[in-house]
């Protein structure tokens, strides 16, 4: 039924508005490197974009259909479906929309508006990692300054990997008997549960900057624990564990900038988060969760040397009021490196992108070679190499893979 | 008193004579290039630019761009919206170029895949624009003072009487060791330009195949850059040109980069 509705919607939009239609078809095949290699991904994607614009407004949809393996029925995802209304110094955008903030590449600091789809970790294209949110986005323009207010009545969390997925992080639990209680994870659709985001951005000759604030829900649930056991003469013996995912309110204030200096592009981004739920082993917190604040920032630089684009970022997360019971380290440090070169009149693109975790000496290395066979037709050969034994990237050390993508844009 | 009058008359006559001598002095390379640089330009213009990239096997790839330009004498703002091919559609690029000596351009690019505008460095003047045979510097307005200009001869090309000016960069690190430009004596526009690489070898030739008077301004509408060393060419066609339409400053903003056409 859902597909019929979407088809009818597309047909209606086309016949009524005669919009610009574009899109992309892609095959993505990934092979997981292990003793007996298995296909980590067999995916066909069809993206369809409708766009109807005028000086007074616009209507935009981005529909994705993902077909996996031998599945017959594709998974349909509406990334964007919104209408714009333009005035002289004021725009309204209403509907599902992807909103990207901040200056950092590949990491999320003040980029908190659109939730993420992490079912395939950080590997998909970034435009596909970002989900749309249903919101009213109001922007006021004054010269080169923009003031935006985003109000979202419906909280949409980050999509986590499903049970059994190779991207599901393993939890180190003290017992084998575990039950997941999902009764607390719903956020009812009420006005009081709305999210609000504010941004003041400016694009000036000397510097670009943005100041942001958010009163939102944490996109990732806190995992509250209920320990069930029985007392013995030697103490409490744990029999089983009930894990209750629950979303909590989170406030954030921050900003970002970028500027140029003698061929260098310098950029920075920082966010202060108030009310984050952290995991703790402190016996005073029986559900294993403690509220705290943290500071997250990035400093980055880009430079082009002999036609090779070089980008580096240092990212640090600092948990304030940290103690020894926290399961997360107080200082979490990471760097990212991107090296890019295009040759053959910009038809052959060579990239090497790496996340390097400094706390656990782990990394994700992503080399790719992409060739534009003809306009719109592109072949990409790449690899995802996880290094380390633990840490955010090292936990997936068994998931090294090579992949091929063939895409056609129209 | 008569003596003073005589002296003043003598001085005035001498000044007139010197003036006449100067006026009769043949035109030099710098003056020619300055005439080209200072040729009347519209305050704003817009048009559709089609670039055809042709390789040595005569295979062709086409890029289409809609561009808006506004020049208020202190800053020249340009915004480009990529119309095709499909995989770069809705990408936009903005450049603010300043008349102030030594001040770097400001540049931004909006990538629809990232859904945000990024500031980029304008240092890469020797980079090729979108895989074409034009560098960013070739497409910009190079200031006359950046080179030493020498009028080497006068000759006709396709019946057009031209000055031929050799320009040698003052900066040893510049990507070309010299350029030679054929300039239409009547319209003050270049009709041909040869580019020589750092070793002094002939690298590229730009040929203007059509120029038109749009409003009160002569503009190049068809040109071709031929890379002789790599045997590939780029044809550039500018169409649907309008000038002095009063394009608003707000056209050159992040809002418009993200909104697109």
């Amino acid at each position: 039924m859902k597909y019929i509705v979407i088809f009818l919607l597309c047909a209606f939009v086309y016949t009524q508005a005669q919009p610009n239609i574009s899109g992309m078809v892609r095959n993505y095949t990934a092979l997981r490197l292990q003793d007996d290699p298995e296909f980590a991904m067999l995916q066909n994607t069809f993206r369809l974009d409708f766009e109807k614009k005028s000086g007074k407004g616009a209507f935009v949809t981005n529909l994705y259909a993902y077909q996996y393996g031998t599945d017959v029925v594709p998974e349909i995802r509406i990334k964007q479906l919104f209408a714009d209304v333009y005035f002289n110094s004021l725009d309204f955008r209403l509907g599902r929309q992807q909103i990207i903030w901040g200056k950092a590449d590949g990491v999320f600091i003040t980029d908190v508006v659109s939730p993420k789809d992490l079912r395939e970790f950080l590997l998909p294209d970034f435009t596909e990692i970002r989900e749309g949110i249903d919101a009213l986005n109001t922007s006021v323009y004054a010269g080169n300054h923009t003031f935006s207010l985003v109000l979202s009545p419906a909280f949409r969390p980050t999509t986590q990997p499903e049970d059994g997925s190779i991207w599901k992080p393993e939890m180190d639990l003290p017992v084998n008997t575990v039950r997941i209680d999902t009764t607390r994870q719903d956020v009812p659709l009420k006005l009081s549960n709305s999210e609000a985001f504010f941004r003041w951005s400016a694009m000036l000759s000397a510097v670009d900057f943005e100041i942001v604030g958010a009163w939102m829900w944490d996109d990732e649930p806190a995992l509250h624990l209920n320990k069930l056991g029985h007392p013995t003469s030697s103490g409490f013996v744990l029999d089983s564990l009930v894990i209750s995912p629950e979303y909590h309110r989170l406030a954030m204030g921050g900003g970002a900038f970028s500027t140029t200096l003698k061929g260098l592009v310098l950029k920075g981004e920082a966010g202060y988060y108030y009310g984050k739920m952290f995991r703790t082993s402190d016996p005073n917190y029986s559900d294993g969760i403690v509220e705290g604040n943290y500071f997250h920032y990035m400093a980055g630089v880009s430079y082009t040397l002999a036609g090779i684009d070089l980008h580096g970022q240092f990212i640090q997360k600092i948990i304030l009021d940290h103690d020894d019971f926290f399961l997360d380290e107080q200082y979490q440090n990471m760097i990212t490196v991107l090296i890019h070169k295009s040759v053959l009149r910009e038809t052959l693109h060579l990239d090497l992108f790496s996340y390097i975790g400094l706390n656990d000496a782990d990394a994700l290395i992503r080399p790719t070679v992409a060739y534009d066979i003809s306009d719109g037709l592109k072949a990409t050969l790449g690899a995802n190499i996880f290094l380390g034994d633990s840490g955010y990237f090292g936990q997936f050390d068994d998931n090294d893979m090579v992949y091929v993508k063939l895409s056609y844009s129209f | 008193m008569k003596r003073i009058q005589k002296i003043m008359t003598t001085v005035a006559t001498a000044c007139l004579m010197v003036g006449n001598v100067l006026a009769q002095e043949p035109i030099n390379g710098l003056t020619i290039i300055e005439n080209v640089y200072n040729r009347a330009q519209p305050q704003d213009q817009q048009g559709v630019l089609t670039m055809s990239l042709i390789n040595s096997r005569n295979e062709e790839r086409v890029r289409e761009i809609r561009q808006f330009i506004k020049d208020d004498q202190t800053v020249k703002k340009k915004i480009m919206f990529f119309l095709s091919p499909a995989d770069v559609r809705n990408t936009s690029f903005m450049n603010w170029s300043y008349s102030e000596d030594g001040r770097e351009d400001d540049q931004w690019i909006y990538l629809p895949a990232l859904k945000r505008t990024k500031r980029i460095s304008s240092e890469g003047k020797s980079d090729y624009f979108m895989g074409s045979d034009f560098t960013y510097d070739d497409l910009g307005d190079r200031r006359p003072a950046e080179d030493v200009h020498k009028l080497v001869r006068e000759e006709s090309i396709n019946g057009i009487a031209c000055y031929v000016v050799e320009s040698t960069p003052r900066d040893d690190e510049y990507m070309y060791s010299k350029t030679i430009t054929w300039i239409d004596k009547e319209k003050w526009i270049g009709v041909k330009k040869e580019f020589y690489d750092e070793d002094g070898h002939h690298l590229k030739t730009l040929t203007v195949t059509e120029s038109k008077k749009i409003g009160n301004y002569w503009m190049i509408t068809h040109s071709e850059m031929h890379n002789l060393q790599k045997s590939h060419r780029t044809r550039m066609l500018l169409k649907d040109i309008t000038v002095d339409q009063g394009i608003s400053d707000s056209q050159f903003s992040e809002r418009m980069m993200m909104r697109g056409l």
Side-chain angles (χ1 to χ4, degrees), chain B residues 37 42 75 132 182:
Chain B
Y37 186 77
V75 56
S132 73
W182 281 254

Side-chain angles (χ1 to χ4, degrees), chain A residues 112-123:
Chain A
V112 293
V113 185
S114 283
K116 298 174 280 294
D117 180 353
L118 296 180
R119 289 177 301 168
E120 294 164 43
F121 194 52
L122 296 171
L123 305 185

